């Protein structure tokens, strides 16, 4: 069943871009993995890097528990005067985000570059 | 929809115990040739209902059980997930899409179930969610 995109394990790849962490999610965020995702995102956000860019282009599945992890990360970044943004979700994931209006809480950008540019302080 | 013969699986009250029944059900759904979007919808509704049963219905009590009943044919998939809790009133759950509720962790699972399944109802004083997904397009 590993070739089934809905069953492939969640992979979380993290890199740094200045005051932001770039988090690339790929595979399926089942309920148990979503609990781990919540902890990972929470630990990533810090005073020195309060921004998160979530690249969702490889994400094939997510539940309300996973959405809850994103909202918790939103709270955490806001508390540290940072921001969380999402990048390029698939049509299936975009539909889910739109249904529960999470895209009104966390902005969605078409590319990572556009997301990182939006996180730059205004001059 | 009482004229169908349900399969029944009883699992202990934890999310991991529901993985095997989920794989069994999704395997039958895929063998019946449902499209990927429908498989996505059924997987999502199943996992949301199991999460609600384990966490909210049975309140993480490991001594309680979750009863899974299902029916799959080429025209429809029916899932019924029952917990052993006190039940609830779905209409009392706040609308998670209202601006004041967007950041609150409640109601998203119920809303997703309603959005992705063709028909949903709550039976047995709210301890069972019954949900049905019709095959998109003409029935075979």
């Amino acid at each position: 069943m590993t070739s089934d995109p809905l069953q492939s394990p969640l992979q979380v790849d993290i890199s740094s871009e200045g005051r932001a962490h770039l988090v690339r999610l790929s595979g399926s965020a089942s309920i148990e993995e979503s609990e781990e995702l919540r902890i990972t995102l929470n630990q990533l956000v810090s005073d020195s890097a309060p921004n998160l860019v979530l690249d969702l282009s490889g994400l094939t599945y997510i539940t309300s528990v996973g959405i809850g992890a994103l909202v918790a990360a939103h709270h955490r970044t806001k508390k540290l005067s940072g921001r969380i943004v999402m990048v390029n979700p698939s049509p299936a994931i975009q539909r889910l985000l739109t249904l529960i209006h999470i895209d009104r809480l966390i902005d969605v950008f078409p590319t990572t570059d556009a997301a990182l540019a939006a996180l730059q302080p205004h001059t | 929809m009482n004229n169908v013969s349900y399969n029944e699986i009883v699992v202990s009250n934890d999310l991991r115990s529901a993985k095997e029944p989920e794989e069994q059900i999704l395997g039958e759904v895929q063998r019946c040739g449902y499209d990927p979007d429908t498989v996505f919808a059924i997987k999502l509704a199943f996992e949301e209902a199991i999460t609600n049963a384990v966490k909210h219905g049975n309140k993480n009590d490991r001594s309680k059980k979750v009863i899974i009943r299902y029916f799959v044919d080429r025209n429809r998939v029916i899932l019924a997930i029952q917990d052993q809790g006190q039940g609830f009133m779905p209409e009392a759950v706040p609308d998670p899409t209202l601006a004041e509720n967007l950041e609150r962790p409640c109601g998203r699972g119920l809303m997703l179930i309603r959005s992705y399944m063709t028909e949903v109802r709550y039976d047995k004083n709210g301890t069972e969610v019954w949900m049905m997904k019709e095959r998109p397009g003409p029935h075979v």
Side-chain angles (χ1 to χ4, degrees):
Chain A
M1 296 283 276
T2 49
S3 62
D4 182 345
L6 292 183
Q7 301 291 344
S8 57
L10 180 68
Q11 289 204 3
V12 182
D13 297 312
I14 301 164
S15 56
S16 291
E17 291 279 349
R19 283 172 52 82
H21 285 292
L22 175 57
V23 181
R24 187 171 193 281
L25 303 179
S26 54
S28 170
S30 66
I31 291 167
E32 285 171 330
E33 288 163 324
S34 293
E35 299 281 10
E36 292 168 20
L37 178 63
R38 179 193 301 269
I39 295 166
T40 300
L41 295 179
N42 193 49
Q43 289 174 340
L44 269 181
V45 181
S46 64
D47 285 322
S48 58
N51 299 311
L52 283 178
V53 177
L54 300 181
D55 180 347
L56 305 183
S57 56
L59 187 68
T60 56
Y61 175 79
I62 192 166
T63 69
S64 66
V65 180
I67 298 297
L70 305 188
V71 174
H74 164 73
H75 288 155
R76 176 92 173 125
T77 56
K78 202 162 79 171
K79 197 173 172 184
L80 296 177
S81 302
R83 187 177 169 200
I84 179 174
V85 295
M86 302 185 286
V87 174
N88 193 26
S90 70
I93 300 298
Q94 178 65 60
R95 180 190 174 210
L96 195 152
L97 298 173
T98 302
L99 270 171
I100 48 180
H101 294 191
I102 291 305
D103 55 352
R104 295 186 185 180
L105 199 62
I106 304 173
D107 288 330
V108 181
F109 292 89
T111 65
T112 304
D113 285 347
L116 287 169
L119 293 176
Q120 296 301 314
H122 296 291
T123 53
Chain B
M1 202 69 67
N2 293 323
N3 57 341
V4 299
S5 177
Y6 290 96
N7 295 294
E8 182 174 303
I9 304 172
V10 179
V11 298
S12 56
N13 193 51
D14 65 270
L15 298 173
R16 196 161 292 175
S17 296
K19 289 309 286 182
E20 197 174 315
E22 178 183 326
E23 287 173 10
Q24 192 173 323
I25 293 166
L26 292 179
E28 288 195 32
V29 170
Q30 286 170 324
R31 279 192 292 279
C32 282
Y34 284 88
D35 65 86
D37 285 347
T38 304
V39 177
F40 182 106
I42 292 165
K43 177 180 170 70
L44 182 65
F46 179 87
E47 291 195 358
E48 296 294 352
I50 290 290
T51 304
N52 285 340
V54 169
K55 291 186 174 177
H56 303 302
N58 288 340
K59 301 193 183 308
N60 292 310
D61 181 343
R62 295 296 292 266
S63 70
K64 292 187 172 175
K65 303 288 185 191
V66 177
I67 300 112
I68 300 165
R69 292 185 299 131
Y70 71 95
F71 170 84
V72 180
D73 73 7
R74 295 186 64 79
N75 293 324
R76 71 188 73 78
V77 176
I78 302 173
L79 304 171
I81 311 297
Q82 184 183 358
D83 61 60
Q84 296 180 319
Q86 298 297 309
F88 80 115
M89 291 191 297
E91 61 274 16
V93 177
D95 179 350
T97 65
L98 295 178
E100 63 267 31
N101 295 332
L102 276 182
E103 300 190 37
R104 295 176 61 190
C106 59
R108 295 189 193 115
L110 294 183
M111 195 207 163
L112 290 175
I113 290 172
R114 282 198 301 272
S115 300
Y116 279 86
M117 297 301 274
T118 310
E119 188 179 339
V120 180
R121 65 169 193 255
Y122 294 89
D123 296 331
K124 300 172 185 170
N125 294 320
T127 61
E128 180 180 88
V129 56
W130 181 99
M131 47 201 175
M132 186 264 291
K133 182 74 173 176
E134 281 184 336
R135 178 186 288 274
H139 286 189
V140 291

